[in-house]
Amino acid sequence: MEFITTTKKEIDENIDLLLNETQSFKFETWNKDNFLMDLPRKWELSIVAKSGNEIVGFSFNSQKEGAMHIHYFYVFQTYRNNKLGVLMLKKCIDLVRQYKLQMITLRCNVSNYRALEFYLKNDFAIASLEGEFYGLYKNIDIE
């Protein structure tokens, strides 16, 4: 398994794969424009997990107020329950340290119990409740 920062070109070339894989995910629906949208440091902070040359997971991130903000963290269904999410999160933490950011933030749908459990198990804390979403954060020590 390989975890690498991705490019807009790579995502555009694989957009059908990403759209097909995520179409049934009830907690987050993105279209092509969402995947390809430019945000501050998005292409430096976003990663893909690859098995060989095939994308099997991703984390689309940007920089927001001194933090890495995770917009969409997803492990392909056939690769779940293999610690891939934990490894992807470690790569995100490495990028936070590389860019000397202070924390990771994200929003999680209150009904997405598996994701919430994953984040809490990996030392995220709930900062807020905004409608149907928890705001979560994890402070990162810069080594």
Side-chain angles (χ1 to χ4, degrees):
M1 201 65 63
E2 183 180 24
F3 307 94
I4 57 171
T5 53
T6 190
T7 63
K8 189 173 189 174
K9 180 178 187 267
E10 178 178 39
I11 298 308
D12 193 31
E13 290 170 353
N14 289 283
I15 196 66
D16 290 337
L17 170 71
L18 300 178
L19 291 170
N20 288 336
E21 174 65 28
T22 60
Q23 71 182 346
S24 63
F25 186 57
K26 64 182 175 181
F27 299 109
E28 187 77 37
T29 304
W30 273 19
N31 60 34
K32 181 177 180 176
D33 291 338
N34 295 119
F35 279 104
L36 297 175
M37 180 185 298
D38 288 322
L39 294 168
R41 277 205 166 140
K42 179 177 180 180
W43 304 112
E44 295 147 300
L45 296 174
S46 294
I47 63 165
V48 292
K50 289 187 167 185
S51 178
N53 289 328
E54 183 182 343
I55 295 174
V56 297
F58 58 78
S59 183
F60 285 100
N61 315 311
S62 69
Q63 183 172 334
K64 253 188 188 180
E65 301 172 8
M68 171 191 279
H69 183 77
I70 296 176
H71 296 277
Y72 200 169
F73 189 94
Y74 188 88
V75 174
F76 283 32
Q77 290 184 19
T78 55
Y79 285 84
R80 292 185 185 159
N81 302 314
N82 292 320
K83 303 291 182 196
L84 179 57
V86 172
L87 296 173
M88 287 171 45
L89 190 54
K90 286 181 181 179
K91 176 64 176 178
C92 288
I93 291 169
D94 290 345
L95 288 170
V96 168
R97 289 186 174 128
Q98 178 183 336
Y99 287 97
K100 298 184 181 357
L101 302 174
Q102 300 167 355
M103 70 176 65
I104 299 175
T105 62
L106 60 95
R107 289 171 24 120
C108 182
N109 189 296
V110 297
S111 299
N112 192 347
Y113 304 116
R114 289 187 69 198
L116 185 59
E117 178 183 45
F118 169 79
Y119 292 121
L120 293 176
K121 186 188 263 187
N122 285 282
D123 301 321
F124 280 78
I126 296 173
S128 63
L129 174 61
E130 303 163 14
E132 297 179 5
F133 293 91
Y134 288 116
L136 291 97
Y137 72 96
K138 176 182 176 81
N139 290 318
I140 306 297
D141 294 325
I142 305 297
E143 296 174 343

